[in-house]
Amino acid sequence: MLKKLLQVALGFVVTMSMALAAVNINTATEKELNALPGIGAVKAKAIVDYRKKNGNFKSVDDIQKVNGIGPSTFNSIKGQIAVNGPNTAPAAKEPVKEKAKEVAKDVSKETKKAATDVKADAKAAQKKVSKDADQSAPKAKK
């Protein structure tokens, strides 16, 4: 249950940060381009190299001229890229991964604590039932 909640919350945070983010493909660094889904270090370098060789992109569609950026990759990033304006995207993917690890650790700790609490409650209930049974047992013999 907590894992599912964590996944939903994390997905929402990532989606919202990407919805508000735009990477200017004419000015972005390799690290900023690497923050885009489906763009790793190799494709980010290819974008920068293409830009250096051919000049600025005139439209976001032009990014498909870069070797390794096909329709699938383009479709996954087209809403997150621009050819003008500031870069407002996260600098890299790592901070999101690190935050996810922190949240996962917190959830794991809470889950373990909850499990320990449930076990303690179950033991206490078992003792009470056992005590009640012991107290009522002699009465039943009479």
Side-chain angles (χ1 to χ4, degrees):
M1 171 76 177
L2 287 174
K3 259 187 176 178
K4 196 68 159 175
L5 183 61
L6 170 67
Q7 289 172 341
V8 170
L10 191 58
F12 178 75
V13 169
V14 170
T15 302
M16 290 308 297
S17 69
M18 287 304 198
L20 301 173
V23 174
N24 182 334
I25 58 176
N26 286 324
T27 60
T29 64
E30 287 181 34
K31 192 172 184 179
E32 290 167 330
L33 291 164
N34 191 39
L36 294 166
I39 303 295
V42 173
K43 286 182 184 176
K45 183 173 179 0
I47 293 167
V48 171
D49 290 345
Y50 180 92
R51 188 174 66 207
K52 284 178 185 174
K53 182 179 177 188
N54 300 291
N56 284 348
F57 297 98
K58 297 195 181 0
S59 75
V60 293
D61 295 332
D62 288 345
I63 199 165
Q64 295 180 86
K65 295 176 182 177
V66 176
N67 190 24
I69 310 287
S72 177
T73 302
F74 176 69
N75 285 332
S76 69
I77 64 172
K78 68 183 174 186
Q80 299 169 41
I81 59 175
V83 291
N84 51 37
N87 284 323
T88 57
K93 297 172 187 170
E94 289 309 310
V96 172
K97 287 181 183 177
E98 291 305 314
K99 185 64 178 173
K101 286 179 186 176
E102 287 176 33
V103 172
K105 282 181 186 176
D106 290 345
V107 169
S108 180
K109 286 178 188 175
E110 290 298 321
T111 303
K112 286 177 183 175
K113 184 181 180 315
T116 301
D117 291 347
V118 167
K119 286 178 185 176
D121 290 347
K123 263 187 180 177
Q126 189 177 17
K127 279 185 181 180
K128 184 171 179 1
V129 167
S130 181
K131 183 179 175 183
D132 290 348
D134 288 345
Q135 288 176 350
S136 63
K139 292 178 185 173
K141 289 180 183 179
K142 292 181 182 179

